[in-house]
Amino acid sequence: MFEQKTDKPQVIDGTKPQLRTVDLNLLTVFDAVMQEQNITRAAHSLGMSQPAVSNAVARLKVMFNDELFVRYGRGIQPTARAFQLFASVRQALQLVQNELPGSGFDPSVSERIYHLCVCSPLDNYLTSLIYNKVEQIAPNIHLVFKSSLNQNTEHQLRYQETEFVIGYEEFRRPEFSCVPLFKDEMVLVTSKTHPRLNGTLLESDIYREQHAVVALDRYASFSQPWYDTPDKQACVAYQGMAMTSVLNIVSQTQLVAIAPRWLVEEFAESLNLRIQTLPLSLNLRTCYLSWHEAAGRDKGHQWMEELLVSVCKH
């Protein structure tokens, strides 16, 4: 598959290397190895032998004057330089692929794997809608869901380890695309046997009570925006890992919580919950669909983007 020629770019007039001296086939190997982080799996995905991929990786190291990959357990780990290159290389390959004849994306036969993060508590509602819709129109596509963000989320989006995020967090950096999907009404939740908080409420009434929240030390905690001062944090009596746990505790105690109306209505009857208007300025939250712009020109990515917007806005 690969010609035997030097991969070290020739310097012309002491300035830039000539692109014609570079074996561009190596970039498809680089992309596969970055995605798999394993030589054997990359070879399988490319339809190449393992020695051929190893040889290509050795030539890539010469081309970019960097180790690119180092051994890590049973696989390999990209270097900082490899991560730096990945988004640009992948975007360039996608641009070329999209212009080739017959490069259209057919979801009815595709076996593509999509990694999505549908952040809690939205996962309680949206995950099943998305899964069932894809199962209906593209049964061979495989979806992998997770329900929480972490400090590496921007990294995962940039290198397409996670392709889409649906959540209340807005990614403000220019390399991310962020589309508003809908606004959720937030409400105050108590048990129906709670002895106080009847009638018209003030903000001071809310923070006079003890609260149950989604753990505030979790990255992008759902509850954090309402507990942004020490005084407000002082009223927190229970911190759970998920909003469903919070509602369950509220139903059995005199604790109160702030939650999306749709979620509370789902459990109100079974948990004997009372829903009240939230007398705070932050009583709506926007749900966003986010991805890294480097993925945006891929036709399979565009198809999934349109499907997610359609399902979630509906």
Side-chain angles (χ1 to χ4, degrees), residues 50 117 170:
Q50 183 174 332
C117 178
E170 182 178 8

Side-chain angles (χ1 to χ4, degrees), residues 193-204:
T193 59
H194 196 287
R196 297 175 299 280
L197 300 180
N198 290 312
T200 303
L201 301 176
L202 302 174
E203 179 172 330
S204 57

Side-chain angles (χ1 to χ4, degrees), residues 134-155:
V134 172
E135 180 72 14
Q136 175 187 348
I137 63 178
N140 296 316
I141 284 178
H142 183 54
L143 301 179
V144 179
F145 290 94
K146 63 179 181 179
S147 64
S148 62
L149 297 174
N150 58 46
Q151 293 178 338
N152 291 323
T153 299
E154 288 193 3
H155 171 97

